[in-house]
């Protein structure tokens, strides 16, 4: 545990965009659009506070089951987000990475992602991971298959390194907005010892103040990792 108790890695299940829109009698995609504005605000705040890594669950493998119009709207928003934010990420020295199976993206989006990752790969003032078409089980199965091909037994650390998030420390904090108390196939392996916070706030309404309260609470938490209090 770090002596100052500051979280190094925060992960967020950004849920509630659809309900935010529905309450305003707007189409669901308006909620997703508003959700992107929250990403802009919160990511800036997190890195300004000195947190090293922010991992955001933007689209799950299961979300592909949604109506075509919603899915294509989200892909479109993702593409616009990268185009719009790349110069800012470069300026702020943020390393951008997409975590998940992007084989479902069209060539334009794949190129955009590869380009953004390449242009920011050397940065380390902050690391922004967007989980897109991500599934925790798929992540684990994928890693297992990779390792089977190498034909050796592995340690827990080597297994972690074979995951999409390989090389990053596990999240210290996982937040789920939107009032559901489940993990919905997020970082299953990586969140074994994360502190989990559920809030009823819908993602478009999530504010810096609430994040600050969560971080303050985290700092007071005694993380024992199975040991007893020393
Ligand atoms: C989260 O918001 C974003 C995605 C899953 C893409 P939702 O779209 O799940 O919003 P609700 O849960 O329907 O309100
Ligand atoms: C989880 O939200 C996935 C993301 C936030 C990207 P969902 O809305 O898909 O989860 P369920 O369906 O309520 O479990
Ligand atoms: Mg939802």
């Amino acid at each position: 545990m770090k002596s100052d108790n500051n979280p190094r890695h925060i992960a967020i299940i950004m849920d509630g965009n659809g309900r935010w829109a529905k309450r305003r009698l707007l189409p669901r995609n308006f909620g997703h659009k508003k959700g992107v504005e929250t990403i802009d605000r919160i990511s800036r705040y997190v890195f300004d506070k000195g947190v090293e890594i922010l991992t955001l669950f933007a689209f799950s493998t299961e979300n592909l089951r949604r109506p075509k119009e919603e899915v294509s709207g989200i892909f479109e928003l993702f593409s616009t987000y990268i185009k719009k934010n790349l110069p800012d990420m470069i300026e702020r020295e943020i390393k951008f990475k997409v975590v998940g199976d992007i084989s479902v993206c069209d060539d334009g989006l794949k190129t955009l992602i590869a380009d953004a990752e390449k242009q920011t790969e050397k940065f380390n003032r902050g690391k922004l991971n967007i989980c897109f078409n991500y599934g925790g089980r798929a992540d684990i199965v994928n890693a297992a298959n990779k390792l089977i091909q190498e034909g050796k037994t592995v340690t827990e650390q080597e297994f972690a390194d074979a995951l999409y998030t390989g090389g990053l420390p596990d999240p210290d904090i996982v937040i789920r907005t939107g009032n559901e108390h489940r993990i919905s196939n997020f970082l299953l392996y990586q969140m074994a010892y994360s502190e989990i916070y559920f809030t009823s706030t819908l993602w478009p309404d999530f504010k810096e103040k609430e994040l600050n309260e969560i971080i303050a609470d985290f700092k007071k938490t005694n993380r024992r990792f199975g040991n007893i209090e020393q």
Side-chain angles (χ1 to χ4, degrees), residues 112-209:
L112 212 56
I113 292 169
D115 195 46
E117 289 185 339
K118 181 101 196 92
Q119 289 199 52
T120 61
E121 73 185 346
K122 300 243 154 54
F123 297 145
N124 62 9
R125 212 184 70 78
K127 293 180 183 148
L128 175 64
N129 302 312
I130 303 286
C131 297
F132 198 83
N133 198 32
Y134 175 84
R137 287 182 174 176
D139 196 0
I140 290 169
V141 169
N142 202 42
N145 283 330
K146 259 201 286 190
L147 295 164
I148 285 167
Q149 296 199 343
E150 292 171 25
K152 52 171 191 174
T153 55
V154 291
T155 62
E156 289 184 8
Q157 189 54 54
E158 284 166 331
F159 194 91
D161 287 340
L163 297 166
Y164 287 123
T165 50
L168 297 173
D170 290 339
D172 299 299
I173 297 176
V174 173
I175 301 167
R176 181 173 184 139
T177 61
N179 206 26
E180 307 290 4
H181 302 86
R182 54 182 175 251
I183 300 306
S184 300
N185 205 11
F186 195 35
L187 304 166
L188 299 178
Y189 190 90
Q190 298 89 331
M191 59 192 286
Y193 269 103
S194 304
E195 300 296 324
I196 305 177
Y197 291 84
F198 294 103
T199 165
S200 58
T201 308
L202 304 175
W203 176 247
D205 292 328
F206 190 71
K207 298 283 179 336
E208 292 82 336
K209 180 172 179 287

Side-chain angles (χ1 to χ4, degrees), residues 13-15 57-60 63 66 176 180 182-184:
I13 303 173
M14 307 181 291
D15 195 24
F57 200 7
F59 190 82
S60 75
N63 290 148
R66 295 189 180 191
R176 181 173 184 139
E180 307 290 4
R182 54 182 175 251
I183 300 306
S184 300

Side-chain angles (χ1 to χ4, degrees), residues 3 19 23 39 45 57 62 64 98 105 115 141 157-158 196:
S3 57
R19 278 163 287 165
R23 280 180 197 173
I39 294 178
Y45 184 74
F57 200 7
E62 291 76 24
L64 276 175
V98 177
C105 301
D115 195 46
V141 169
Q157 189 54 54
E158 284 166 331
I196 305 177

Side-chain angles (χ1 to χ4, degrees), residues 47-81:
F47 295 129
D48 285 350
K49 260 186 102 72
V51 175
E52 190 184 320
I53 307 155
L54 177 65
T55 299
L56 300 173
F57 200 7
F59 190 82
S60 75
T61 47
E62 291 76 24
N63 290 148
L64 276 175
R65 296 174 183 151
R66 295 189 180 191
K68 245 171 72 190
E69 193 184 279
E70 180 168 349
V71 171
S72 61
I74 292 171
F75 276 59
E76 190 76 45
L77 275 173
F78 186 37
S79 157
T80 310
Y81 173 82

Side-chain angles (χ1 to χ4, degrees), residues 18-113:
R19 278 163 287 165
W20 185 92
K22 195 170 171 207
R23 280 180 197 173
R24 289 161 179 78
L25 306 175
L26 293 167
R28 292 180 59 85
N29 281 348
F30 267 79
H32 296 313
K33 195 155 177 246
K34 196 73 191 169
V36 175
E37 289 174 24
T38 308
I39 294 178
D40 284 342
R41 251 191 311 107
I42 295 296
S43 60
R44 190 170 289 272
Y45 184 74
V46 161
F47 295 129
D48 285 350
K49 260 186 102 72
V51 175
E52 190 184 320
I53 307 155
L54 177 65
T55 299
L56 300 173
F57 200 7
F59 190 82
S60 75
T61 47
E62 291 76 24
N63 290 148
L64 276 175
R65 296 174 183 151
R66 295 189 180 191
K68 245 171 72 190
E69 193 184 279
E70 180 168 349
V71 171
S72 61
I74 292 171
F75 276 59
E76 190 76 45
L77 275 173
F78 186 37
S79 157
T80 310
Y81 173 82
I82 299 173
K83 279 187 217 150
K84 190 166 155 243
N85 283 280
L86 183 59
D88 195 53
M89 288 190 279
I90 293 171
E91 168 150 359
R92 291 192 293 142
E93 302 189 349
I94 304 295
K95 179 175 179 169
F96 173 79
K97 184 176 154 69
V98 177
V99 173
D101 174 13
I102 59 158
S103 66
V104 296
C105 301
D106 64 28
D107 287 348
L109 182 50
K110 278 184 199 151
T111 308
L112 212 56
I113 292 169

